[in-house]
C-alpha cells in the first residue's frame, strides 16, 4: 500500500470539502487577555480572541498565577509519576476535596483532561458493571461516545434533550438490568441546556444511574460555580458529575465527583487513570485557587452575562443569524464550510479578530458556524469592533454575494 499517498489523498479531500483544520499560532499575553499575539511567517500581529473556552479569563487571574508560581517553587515541574506510583501530590488531594465540596459529593477524582475523565469513567463503569446498558443523548461529546464504545456495553441513543424518548427506550429494556443515562448540561456547539430534572425523573423511575457532563457549566453557573445542576438544586439527584478545569477555571484537567465508593471504584479499575502521569502540582494548585476563588466571587460571572447579552442584542439588531439559546455560547450561523473559513480568515486579516470556524464533524454538515464566546474581560470597545466587522462582512455578502453566507 502507498501509505503516504493515502494520507495525502485523505488530507486533500478534507481541504476540498472545507473541513481541513488550520491552527492559528497565537501567544496569549499575561494580563492582556483577550489580546494575543499571532505569529505567521515570522510576522507578529495583535489579535483579539473571541473563541476561547477560558470563559471567565481565569487563565490570567492573578490569584491563579500566584498559586501556580508558589507551587512551582515548592514542588518543581512535574508530578513524577502516575498517581499510584509517587505521583500523588498534596495539591491533588486538596483539589479533589475542593471539587467534592463544590458538587456536594463525598469524593472527587482528578484526570489529565475532561476528554480522559469522560472516556475513562464511562468506559470503566459500563464495562465493569455486569450487563450494564447505556442510554446516551444523541448530541453527547465525542469523549463520551468513545468511552461508551470502548466499554462494549449495550448502548441506546435517545433523542437530544428528550426525556419522553428516554422514557420510551428505558421502558423497552429489562427492568432488572443495570442502566446508566449519560448526558450533558450545556451543549458546547448549540449552547442549549438539558432538562436535568426531567431526565433525573425518568432515570429514577427506571432505577438508572445518571452521568452528567457539566464541563461547559462548572465555574459559570450556580452561586458557587457548581454548574447547572447546582443552579437548579439538582446535584444530589445526579449520580455522577463530570467537569473540567480547562474552561471556566482557566487551567487544565478533568474530574468526576460522586460517592466515595464510586470514585474509588473508578480509581481502582480505570486504565485511563491508573496508567498515566498525574497533573503537574503547579497545574493542580492553579485549579485549586480558581475553584476556591469562583466559589466566592460572582463578579466574573455577572460581567460575562452582561457581555453575552450585549453581543446577542447587537447581532440581532444587525440581522446576523445566531442560534437562540439560554447559555453563554453565541453560535453565528454560516451554513457552509468554505464560506465559514473565508469569513474567519477575513475577520483575522482585516480586523485582527480571531473566531475559529466550526465545521464538520464537530457540527453537522450545513450547520457550520462561528462560535463566539464573550468573556468578562472583553471591553465594550472589543464588542463594538466585533459587531462592526461582522456587520461589514454580512453587508458585503448581501450586496455582492461574495460569500453568500446564511
Amino acid at each position: 500500500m502507498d501509505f503516504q499517498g493515502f494520507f495525502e489523498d485523505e488530507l486533500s479531500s478534507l481541504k476540498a470539502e472545507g473541513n481541513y483544520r488550520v491552527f492559528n499560532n497565537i501567544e496569549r499575553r499575561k494580563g492582556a487577555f483577550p489580546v494575543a499575539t499571532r505569529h505567521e511567517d515570522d510576522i507578529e500581529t495583535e489579535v483579539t480572541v473571541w473563541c476561547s473556552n477560558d470563559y471567565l479569563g481565569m487563565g490570567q487571574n492573578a490569584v491563579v498565577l500566584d498559586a501556580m508560581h508558589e507551587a512551582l517553587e515548592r514542588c518543581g515541574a512535574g508530578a513524577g509519576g502516575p498517581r499510584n506510583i509517587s505521583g500523588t501530590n498534596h495539591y491533588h488531594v486538596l483539589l479533589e476535596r475542593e471539587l467534592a465540596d463544590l458538587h456536594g459529593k463525598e469524593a472527587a477524582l482528578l484526570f489529565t483532561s475532561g476528554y480522559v475523565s469522560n472516556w475513562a469513567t464511562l468506559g470503566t463503569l459500563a464495562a465493569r458493571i455486569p450487563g450494564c446498558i447505556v442510554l446516551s443523548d444523541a448530541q453527547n461529546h465525542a469523549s463520551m461516545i468513545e468511552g461508551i464504545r470502548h466499554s462494549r456495553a449495550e448502548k441506546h441513543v435517545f433523542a437530544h434533550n428528550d426525556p419522553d424518548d428516554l422514557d420510551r427506550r428505558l421502558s423497552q429494556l429489562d427492568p432488572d438490568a443495570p442502566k446508566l443515562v449519560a448526558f450533558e448540561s450545556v451543549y458546547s456547539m448549540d449552547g442549549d441546556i438539558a432538562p436535568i430534572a426531567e431526565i433525573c425523573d425518568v432515570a429514577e423511575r427506571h432505577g438508572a444511574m445518571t452521568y452528567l457532563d457539566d464541563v461547559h457549566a462548572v465555574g459559570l453557573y450556580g452561586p458557587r460555580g457548581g454548574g447547572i445542576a447546582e443552579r437548579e438544586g439538582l446535584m444530589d439527584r445526579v449520580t455522577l458529575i463530570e467537569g473540567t478545569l480547562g474552561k471556566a477555571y482557566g487551567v487544565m484537567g478533568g474530574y468526576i465527583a460522586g460517592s466515595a465508593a464510586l470514585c474509588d471504584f473508578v480509581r481502582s479499575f480505570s486504565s485511563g487513570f491508573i496508567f498515566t502521569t498525574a497533573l503537574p502540582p503547579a497545574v493542580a494548585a492553579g485549579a485549586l485557587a480558581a475553584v476556591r476563588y469562583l466559589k466566592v466571587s460572582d463578579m466574573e460571572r455577572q460581567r460575562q452575562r452582561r457581555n453575552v447579552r450585549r453581543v446577542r442584542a447587537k447581532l440581532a439588531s444587525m440581522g446576523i443569524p445566531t442560534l437562540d439559546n439560554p447559555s453563554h455560547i453565541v453560535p453565528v450561523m454560516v451554513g457552509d464550510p468554505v464560506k465559514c473559513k473565508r469569513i474567519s480568515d477575513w475577520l483575522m486579516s482585516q480586523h485582527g479578530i480571531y473566531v475559529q470556524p466550526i465545521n464538520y464533524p464537530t457540527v453537522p454538515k450545513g450547520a457550520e458556524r462561528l462560535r463566539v464566546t464573550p468573556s468578562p474581560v472583553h471591553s465594550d470597545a472589543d464588542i463594538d469592533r466585533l459587531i462592526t466587522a461582522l456587520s461589514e462582512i454580512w453587508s458585503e455578502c448581501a450586496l455582492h454575494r461574495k460569500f453568500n453566507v446564511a
Side-chain angles (χ1 to χ4, degrees), residues 179-219:
K179 305 169 191 72
L180 187 157
V181 177
F183 63 108
E184 301 182 38
S185 59
V186 177
Y187 286 83
S188 62
M189 289 299 125
D190 288 353
D192 53 336
I193 296 177
I196 299 175
E198 290 84 352
I199 290 175
C200 286
D201 289 342
V202 172
E204 289 164 2
R205 282 201 300 272
H206 293 275
M209 293 174 57
T210 44
Y211 182 108
L212 176 65
D213 175 322
D214 217 14
V215 298
H216 289 276
V218 292

Side-chain angles (χ1 to χ4, degrees), residues 368-386:
E368 291 81 9
R369 67 199 62 184
L370 304 173
R371 180 179 177 273
V372 176
T373 53
S375 79
V377 291
H378 283 100
S379 67
D380 288 349
D382 291 331
I383 294 173
D384 289 342
R385 282 195 296 272
L386 172 69

Side-chain angles (χ1 to χ4, degrees), residues 142 161 178 190 288 393:
N161 280 349
D190 288 353
L288 174 64
I393 188 61

Side-chain angles (χ1 to χ4, degrees), residues 13 52 82 98 119 131 225-226 257 292 326 337 340 360 373-375:
S13 295
S52 175
E98 203 72 34
W119 177 86
R292 285 176 172 170
C340 197
Y360 178 84
T373 53
S375 79

Side-chain angles (χ1 to χ4, degrees), residues 144-157:
M144 303 174 76
I145 295 169
E146 288 298 326
I148 296 165
R149 180 181 296 137
H150 177 73
S151 75
R152 299 186 178 180
E154 180 180 341
K155 179 187 75 171
H156 299 267
V157 177

